[in-house]
Amino acid sequence: MSAEQVGRIFREGSGRAIAVLIRIFGDIDVAEDALQEAFALALKTWPEGGLPPNPQAWLVTTARNGAIDRLRRESLGRAILSDLVREQAAATETLDLSLGPMDDDRLRLIFTCCHPALSSEAQVALTLRLLCGLATHDVARAFLVEETTMAQRLVRAKRKIKSAHIPYRVPEARELPSRLPPVLAVAYLVYNAGASRKPGASADLEDLGAEGIRLARLLVALLPREPEVAGLLALMLLNESRRAARFAGDGSIVLLRNQERAQWDRSLIDEGQTILRACLQRDEPGPYQIQAAIQAVHADAATFGQTDWQQIVALYDELLPMTRSPVVAMNRAIAVGEVEGPQAALDLIENLDLDRYYLFHSTRADFLRRLARGAEASLAYLKAAELAPTDAERRFLRSRSEERLH
Amino acid sequence: MNQYLLSLHSTPDSTCATQSPMPPEEMQKFMQRIETLESDMKESGAWMFSGRLTEPESATVVRITDGDTMTTDGPFAESKEHLAGFYILQAADLDAALEWARKVTTCVGKPIEVRPFWGLQS
């Protein structure tokens, strides 16, 4: 067994292990140090001695016993042990590693990481670090910040959890309406951080797309009665089905109307649509379910021309009052444009407060182009190019701007 | 149990001087709501101390400069927002403190800051 294999097994199990250890010790740092030591021991012993019968249970047990030994030697540690009155329980508890208690721990951990008292940046960082088991430098790379910046962000967030006593518990049903949205937002952010990249462009970041889907699957398994959780998973799967078709060879974006629909992944579409149908039957609509439904309508159309735009406009009509987001209003206008034409669509977006959003300017440019207002379209494409986040998109938008000049 | 400071801040447009005074009836209802809330806090054992402060202009600052005591007029910082009142509560965890904060802010109609005190373990 190689060190890489040990690392992979470790990463797969680390979210569950850390969640159990945080419950036992009531302290994230103690839990992280303990798991790190157990991992070091695994690297030393597994390659020669072979894999223990239940590697995840081995990691948790080894980490727990090591931490108890260490805490007994330190005065602050003794305070933690005696204060928690958990020493006895911790030392004698038979760890149940079947589904159930372990997953309650992971659910607790998600809600702690995504507590609304933490900034959304801290929420994402903690979730990736603790629940997904990513190393700090990988979390930093995913969000394009220096490793030291990310390390500081994590330290500050953990300090706040400790000093403000952010609880380690699953919110009650009546609290879920306010506590679930940040959890879903973090999972979607993790997914989008990976999914906005061309397949094969960067393995690390693509992993984040997969990580986001894994998180959503975990949430569906842990909160099976929340239709918005299922809606989020369906939305991710339907988006994911188009990822290969969304990028041209040079990495630039291929618009929906020009995508090669044969490249869409039918198995992801089927899975997404099945999940979506099941949760829509509960008749508790929410923004993720409706966004998934919009993607499902696109998935149903064999060609761009066959898209049921009336249905999409109707879904946006439902979505807009839920989110009150100008981006949603813009996307609704695009759908309206397909039904009523570019002038109606342009009228709908002129007053939106989206001047810093590059897709607003490219959308506006597109309407102007279709209205044969070439010079204005060219300026709008240029404005979009200035604000675009990637080189490929800047190139694409500049070329469109130049086309309109001639 | 952990201790938290819940602080309410006044902004220039919300100070007594510029705000149109509340009609007596409304004022009475408002005071009743506050009293009910505070007696809930006391009954549940959360309340430790609370107070409402006078306007920031009534503050005096004392500092030591080169060994001399300097006493100056006015609030500590030239800020638009000033501490107007506070609660010191004990609560099991942040969620419990935030629940009290939600009740206070519902009552007074102003945002409230929740900040933990240093504890033995922190």
Side-chain angles (χ1 to χ4, degrees):
Chain A
M1 160 165 290
S2 68
E4 285 77 44
Q5 283 171 305
V6 176
R8 204 183 55 242
I9 292 168
F10 177 75
R11 219 190 108 187
E12 279 166 7
S14 86
R16 306 178 95 185
I18 202 87
V20 176
L21 293 165
I22 293 173
R23 171 174 50 75
I24 294 175
F25 295 105
D27 188 296
I28 296 175
D29 290 326
V30 171
E32 280 193 294
D33 290 348
L35 191 59
Q36 210 53 55
E37 276 177 31
F39 177 49
L41 199 62
L43 273 178
K44 235 190 276 176
T45 55
W46 291 3
E48 278 182 31
L51 210 57
N54 184 341
Q56 298 200 2
W58 186 94
L59 280 171
V60 176
T61 312
T62 307
R64 179 197 60 185
N65 295 345
I68 291 174
D69 283 348
R70 197 157 45 84
L71 290 171
R72 282 194 183 125
R73 290 195 299 271
E74 299 165 0
S75 59
L76 185 70
R78 281 197 296 275
I80 290 179
L81 284 176
S82 67
D83 178 74
L84 295 171
V85 203
R86 287 177 196 171
E87 183 176 10
Q88 208 55 32
T92 56
E93 180 186 0
T94 330
L95 287 170
D96 181 359
L97 297 171
S98 57
L99 283 172
M102 285 283 268
D103 287 287
D104 286 351
D105 285 331
R106 272 198 295 183
L107 195 55
R108 280 191 197 100
L109 183 55
I110 296 179
F111 279 104
T112 303
C113 290
C114 300
H115 196 281
L118 299 167
S119 72
S120 59
E121 287 173 338
Q123 291 171 0
V124 178
L126 280 172
T127 304
L128 286 174
R129 176 76 195 91
L130 296 177
L131 208 73
C132 305
L134 259 65
T136 303
H137 61 89
D138 289 329
V139 182
R141 210 161 27 176
F143 291 94
L144 306 171
V145 299
E146 294 288 323
E147 185 175 346
T148 49
T149 311
M150 186 51 79
Q152 265 175 2
R153 191 178 290 171
L154 285 164
V155 166
R156 265 201 302 271
K158 285 188 275 185
R159 200 185 293 147
K160 179 163 186 183
I161 290 175
K162 206 170 178 173
S163 64
H165 303 277
I166 290 179
Y168 190 56
R169 66 179 179 92
V170 177
E172 290 164 33
R174 66 177 174 82
E175 298 171 287
L176 279 182
S178 66
R179 296 293 307 276
L180 198 51
V183 172
L184 300 181
V186 163
Y188 199 36
L189 228 115
V190 169
Y191 169 75
N192 280 323
S196 56
R197 267 80 176 192
K198 178 177 175 264
S202 159
D204 295 348
L205 296 172
E206 267 185 75
D207 273 355
L208 283 177
E211 209 65 69
I213 292 176
R214 250 198 299 279
L215 261 178
R217 286 192 194 281
L218 175 66
L219 286 166
V220 168
L222 298 177
L223 296 165
R225 295 201 301 200
E226 295 297 324
E228 273 295 87
V229 179
L232 173 65
L233 176 58
L235 174 61
M236 286 182 187
L237 294 172
L238 291 166
N239 277 343
E240 188 65 13
S241 73
R242 297 206 293 267
R243 194 149 65 92
R246 196 179 297 137
F247 297 93
D250 65 349
S252 61
I253 305 280
V254 181
L255 299 174
L256 192 60
R257 75 167 69 229
N258 302 325
Q259 281 176 20
E260 186 56 68
R261 293 185 179 219
Q263 277 186 288
W264 290 2
D265 185 327
R266 290 315 309 184
S267 67
L268 287 172
I269 291 175
D270 290 344
E271 191 190 354
Q273 291 193 326
T274 305
I275 293 169
L276 180 64
R277 264 194 299 276
C279 67
L280 286 177
Q281 271 174 1
R282 306 175 62 101
D283 200 23
E284 294 169 45
Y288 289 108
Q289 293 171 77
I290 296 174
Q291 288 178 79
I294 292 168
Q295 299 314 320
V297 175
H298 285 303
D300 276 338
T303 64
F304 185 77
Q306 285 172 283
T307 309
D308 184 350
W309 290 104
Q310 299 274 12
Q311 178 65 23
I312 289 178
V313 172
L315 287 165
Y316 273 117
D317 286 343
E318 211 179 330
L319 181 61
L320 190 55
M322 288 180 186
T323 63
R324 281 175 289 179
S325 147
V327 174
V328 172
M330 181 188 92
N331 289 328
R332 179 180 172 276
I334 295 173
V336 170
E338 296 299 330
V339 179
E340 297 176 28
Q343 186 61 55
L346 188 63
D347 292 345
L348 283 173
I349 67 161
E350 286 295 14
N351 292 320
L352 295 178
D353 183 19
L354 287 172
D355 202 47
R356 305 298 307 158
Y357 185 48
Y358 79 108
L359 289 178
F360 169 73
H361 294 286
S362 68
T363 301
R364 198 171 158 269
D366 201 48
F367 296 151
L368 290 165
R369 173 185 60 79
R370 284 157 63 192
L371 291 165
R373 289 158 66 174
E376 289 166 89
S378 172
L379 273 177
Y381 279 124
L382 204 59
K383 180 93 196 208
E386 280 168 21
L387 298 168
T390 66
D391 280 338
E393 283 169 286
R394 275 190 286 276
R395 272 199 308 277
F396 172 75
L397 290 162
R398 269 200 212 100
S399 73
R400 298 217 97 182
S401 173
E402 278 157 24
E403 281 166 30
R404 297 305 129 207
L405 281 178
H406 308 302
Chain B
M1 278 298 188
N2 305 292
Q3 295 172 6
Y4 297 88
L5 172 71
L6 277 60
S7 55
L8 290 148
H9 292 254
S10 65
T11 47
D13 58 310
S14 71
T15 51
C16 301
T18 52
Q19 205 175 34
S20 57
M22 221 183 250
E25 265 176 44
E26 257 183 60
M27 189 67 184
Q28 204 186 349
K29 277 188 198 156
F30 173 76
M31 292 308 291
Q32 261 169 7
R33 283 203 304 270
I34 294 273
E35 271 169 37
T36 312
L37 177 58
E38 291 185 1
S39 67
D40 284 352
M41 286 177 180
K42 285 171 190 168
E43 265 171 44
S44 71
W47 186 91
M48 298 182 77
F49 193 76
S50 61
R52 182 181 169 188
L53 301 176
T54 55
E55 68 283 359
E57 290 73 25
S58 64
T60 309
V61 177
V62 180
R63 57 164 65 82
I64 307 289
T65 308
D66 298 331
D68 293 331
T69 305
M70 292 278 292
T71 304
T72 49
D73 170 46
F76 189 71
E78 286 295 327
S79 158
K80 280 184 180 151
E81 293 196 342
H82 291 281
L83 188 64
F86 63 90
Y87 290 89
I88 296 171
L89 302 180
Q90 55 181 0
D93 56 36
L94 183 67
D95 282 357
L98 294 178
E99 180 58 17
W100 285 118
R102 189 185 65 77
K103 288 178 176 161
V104 175
T105 192
T106 307
C107 205
V108 303
K110 296 202 189 317
I112 189 162
E113 182 187 290
V114 178
R115 213 167 143 181
F117 280 83
W118 276 105
L120 285 176
Q121 279 176 58
S122 297

